[in-house]
Amino acid sequence: MNSMSNENLDAPQHFKINKVAVIGSGIMGSGIEAYFSSKNLEVQLFSKRSLFDSRSLEYLAKGEHDLIIECCDENFEIKKRVLSAISKVNTSGILSTCTSSLSINSLQQFVHEPQRFMGIHFMNPAKVIPVVEVIPGKLTDLSLIQNVKSFLESLGKEVFIVQDSPGFAVNSILISMLNQSVYSLDQTKLEPKNLDEIIKKTTGMKLGPLATIDLIGIDVTIRIMQNLHESNSKVFPPPAPKLLELEALGNLGRKSKKGFYTY
């Protein structure tokens, strides 16, 4: 990609992102790809499994992608491996991770040319929720942060630049609330629909906390809660036992047709 010349770094307002690659074809990756496609942007979606196919790596190595967004599992080892591989073959694009809970500074250590790496946290569903958190690492070139911010704002997103911290701004609050809602479900003996109704009618939430967990995916929610708990156990409790019970039964929310609700 020629877009990251010194001229463009000195004048980030002239840097235009034309071609995007999204790595990871799960709910989040597919949603981001669909959002970009709806804006008539050229975007390619790669599954995690196909990424290490020689053709996919060769395609990424051409350097034609101005922005690469990694959206694989919320697992540090997986993201580390994927980001390291991508950054070695595509050495000129802006590289980012869409993580809900993992440290950008920690992941940045495994990226070739870490100054071009950042976090871009879309909310689920990506086509609906306007807010995006952009998170620089300690080594990130801040002119590229401004480039990405301007790019996303031009597509209609409301962008907040957030410092690297557990859960960033949104999930440090949201995930804590979701976890406490599950603890409360056991303590109050309410039915899920009743607990959701109470919270919706007193907070203005459009979707209750238990329905939100079903939307995110119970397995994904657990991984985020575990990552936050490991980052600071005094602030973030472990996942509520009820969540672990549902995961063990294979009840993962909407994607499995059953979680706190049946779909």
Side-chain angles (χ1 to χ4, degrees):
M1 181 182 75
N2 297 322
S3 305
M4 291 177 69
S5 65
N6 289 333
E7 178 182 354
N8 284 317
L9 292 179
D10 291 337
Q13 67 271 24
H14 298 307
F15 171 49
K16 187 171 178 59
I17 296 172
N18 293 306
K19 193 171 183 179
V20 178
V22 178
I23 313 297
S25 55
I27 293 173
M28 200 71 248
S30 297
I32 293 171
E33 187 273 338
Y35 174 72
F36 284 140
S37 293
S38 73
K39 299 297 181 178
N40 297 316
L41 193 74
E42 187 174 356
V43 54
Q44 279 77 41
L45 179 66
F46 297 84
S47 69
K48 180 183 68 177
R49 180 174 296 179
S50 72
L51 174 64
F52 295 97
D53 165 346
S54 60
R55 287 180 300 174
S56 294
L57 288 174
E58 183 182 344
Y59 191 53
L60 287 168
K62 291 180 180 178
E64 296 175 351
H65 296 93
D66 305 307
L67 174 64
I68 301 172
I69 305 175
E70 174 274 317
C71 294
C72 297
D73 306 21
E74 194 70 2
N75 177 292
F76 187 85
E77 291 302 318
I78 291 173
K79 286 185 180 291
K80 178 180 80 173
R81 178 173 176 243
V82 169
L83 290 167
S84 176
I86 297 169
S87 67
K88 287 175 182 174
V89 297
N90 184 302
T91 57
S92 57
I94 297 174
L95 181 60
S96 68
T97 179
C98 182
T99 177
S100 300
S101 59
L102 296 171
S103 167
I104 303 304
N105 287 320
S106 295
L107 288 170
Q108 195 168 48
Q109 300 175 59
F110 303 96
V111 175
H112 179 68
E113 297 180 346
Q115 69 273 13
R116 63 193 178 98
F117 177 70
M118 67 187 73
I120 303 179
H121 181 212
F122 286 82
M123 312 298 158
N124 185 29
K127 288 183 71 174
V128 176
I129 299 180
V131 171
V132 177
E133 293 176 306
V134 173
I135 310 102
K138 290 180 180 178
L139 302 176
T140 307
D141 185 329
L142 295 184
S143 68
L144 298 183
I145 292 288
Q146 291 301 324
N147 281 334
V148 169
K149 182 176 186 291
S150 297
F151 165 67
L152 293 172
E153 287 176 339
S154 74
L155 299 178
K157 290 297 187 185
E158 188 171 357
V159 179
F160 294 87
I161 298 175
V162 181
Q163 292 302 303
D164 189 25
S165 59
F168 316 124
V170 173
N171 277 337
S172 65
I173 299 168
L174 176 63
I175 297 299
S176 297
M177 186 269 284
L178 297 181
N179 203 12
Q180 184 56 45
S181 297
V182 183
Y183 278 110
S184 181
L185 184 69
D186 276 341
Q187 293 163 355
T188 61
K189 306 304 179 186
L190 285 168
E191 292 295 322
K193 65 178 182 180
N194 291 332
L195 187 142
D196 274 355
E197 280 302 307
I198 288 172
I199 300 302
K200 285 162 60 179
K201 289 179 177 177
T202 55
T203 66
M205 287 183 70
K206 293 182 179 179
L207 196 63
L210 304 178
T212 298
I213 294 173
D214 276 356
L215 175 64
I216 296 171
I218 287 171
D219 53 339
V220 175
T221 303
I222 288 172
R223 299 293 90 74
I224 297 170
M225 290 175 179
Q226 288 173 331
N227 289 335
L228 293 177
H229 178 64
E230 289 170 8
S231 71
N232 191 334
S233 60
K234 292 183 179 179
V235 174
F236 303 104
K242 179 66 174 177
L243 289 168
L244 302 177
E245 291 172 15
L246 288 170
E247 183 183 39
L249 292 170
N251 298 336
L252 305 180
R254 291 193 182 192
K255 60 186 174 184
S256 70
K257 307 301 181 184
K258 190 171 183 181
F260 288 100
Y261 297 90
T262 299
Y263 299 90

